[in-house]
Amino acid sequence: DSNVAPKLFVPKFEDYQKVYNEIANRLEEKDDYDDGSYGPVLVRLAWHASGTYDKETGTGGSNGATMRFSPESDHGANAGLKAARDFLEPVKAKFPWITYSDLWILAGVCAIQEMMGPTIPYRAGRQDRDVAACTPDGRLPDAAQAQDHLRNIFYRMGFNDQEIVALSGAHALGRCHTDRSGYSGPWTFSPTVLTNDYYKLLIEEKWQWKKWNGPKQYEDKKTQTLMMLPADMAIIQDKKFKEWVKVYAADNDKFFQDFSAVVKKLFELGVPFKEGTETWTFKPVNA
Ligand code: CCH
């Protein structure tokens, strides 16, 4: 009967788990990138998609995936994230029903879980928006600055001091690239596994200015292979922040619990979920 409306495909939890599995399998396969994983750069993509949120105007956030477009893709803070977006293109092609906005965040969740991090609860429902929804440059943190700047940026998103420190633990993952941010090196010795080592190293190691022609950054005195940004060092230079650094350095379970909650909050900033949207947790592939 030609009067019957075509059935809409309404994806369910199982469909999103398939997308998750596809991303996890690609992470396993494509292990010749950087330190052996696209995981860290996928986490950074999800964070930079979300961290543009402004609670006063309700603009920015992961709903929209506007980093697909210039000018946002060309913002200095987003240098290098094309690698993450390109990594996900074949996944989008295989599952065309998923929005880029939901896909980028699902990839962030998948990367954290597959890199031995905590479970990150997920809700679907982000819609892609067009170039007009691009946010202005300057909404993401500047690594050269310190605690006042961090508070300005993260309070604008609606986070408190504890949450700022919990989020910063993501720097256990990945590294800085001279051809992206200008900075150089990893924060920890295991940049493809999520641990609380970022906090431990901040407290336990002696940090000195790196002598080089690049931007001002710290190196560990002992091995001179690890790095900290001025913005990282700010969280032990500030007394209130440092209390939380100590808590997370001493207790990985507490870090995982708080990291999971704060990352879920970050990934959902400004997303207009429909009432009754279910919260899902995906089964890790590489557990
Ligand atoms: Fe970050 N981050 N980040 N970051 N970041 C960089 C890399 C990663 C700042 C600056 C930088 C968060 C917060 C901050 C990741 C996750 C998070 C780099 C190097 C700079 C610079 C980029 C390059 O050269 O490739 C500053 C400043 C802040 C202030 O708070 C938060 C929050 C998160 C996630 C929750 C991850 C992961 C990376 C590694 C990316 C990679 O490609 O290895």
Side-chain angles (χ1 to χ4, degrees), residues 179-220:
D179 59 338
R180 296 180 179 180
S181 60
Y183 297 99
S184 175
W187 290 267
T188 67
F189 292 110
S190 55
T192 64
V193 180
L194 187 65
T195 64
N196 64 341
D197 285 357
Y198 169 81
Y199 305 107
K200 287 192 193 166
L201 290 160
L202 263 175
I203 290 183
E204 289 166 13
E205 293 308 314
K206 289 211 159 56
W207 297 93
Q208 61 191 18
W209 289 111
K210 180 180 172 74
K211 288 185 193 68
W212 74 325
N213 290 327
K216 283 176 81 176
Q217 67 173 70
Y218 294 87
E219 65 183 8
D220 70 304

Side-chain angles (χ1 to χ4, degrees), residues 37-111:
S37 174
Y38 274 92
V41 80
L42 291 182
V43 174
R44 190 162 202 246
L45 175 66
W47 137 239
H48 279 206
S50 307
T52 54
Y53 184 64
D54 173 18
K55 68 176 182 187
E56 297 302 327
T57 58
T59 56
S62 65
N63 192 55
T66 47
M67 204 201 297
R68 287 170 297 151
F69 310 117
S70 179
E72 199 172 328
S73 54
D74 298 327
H75 290 167
N78 292 331
L81 292 179
K82 188 175 185 301
R85 295 193 299 274
D86 287 351
F87 173 91
L88 292 171
E89 274 305 320
V91 183
K92 171 72 175 162
K94 190 162 175 183
F95 303 96
W97 50 264
I98 195 169
T99 62
Y100 279 101
S101 331
D102 271 344
L103 175 62
W104 290 359
I105 298 303
L106 179 55
V109 166
C110 175

Side-chain angles (χ1 to χ4, degrees), residues 40-41 43-44 47 141-143 150 154 167 170-171 173-177 180-181 183 187 229 231:
V41 80
V43 174
R44 190 162 202 246
W47 137 239
D142 172 0
L150 291 180
F154 284 95
L167 280 170
H171 281 172
L173 300 170
R175 62 167 54 243
C176 294
H177 305 79
R180 296 180 179 180
S181 60
Y183 297 99
W187 290 267
L229 301 163

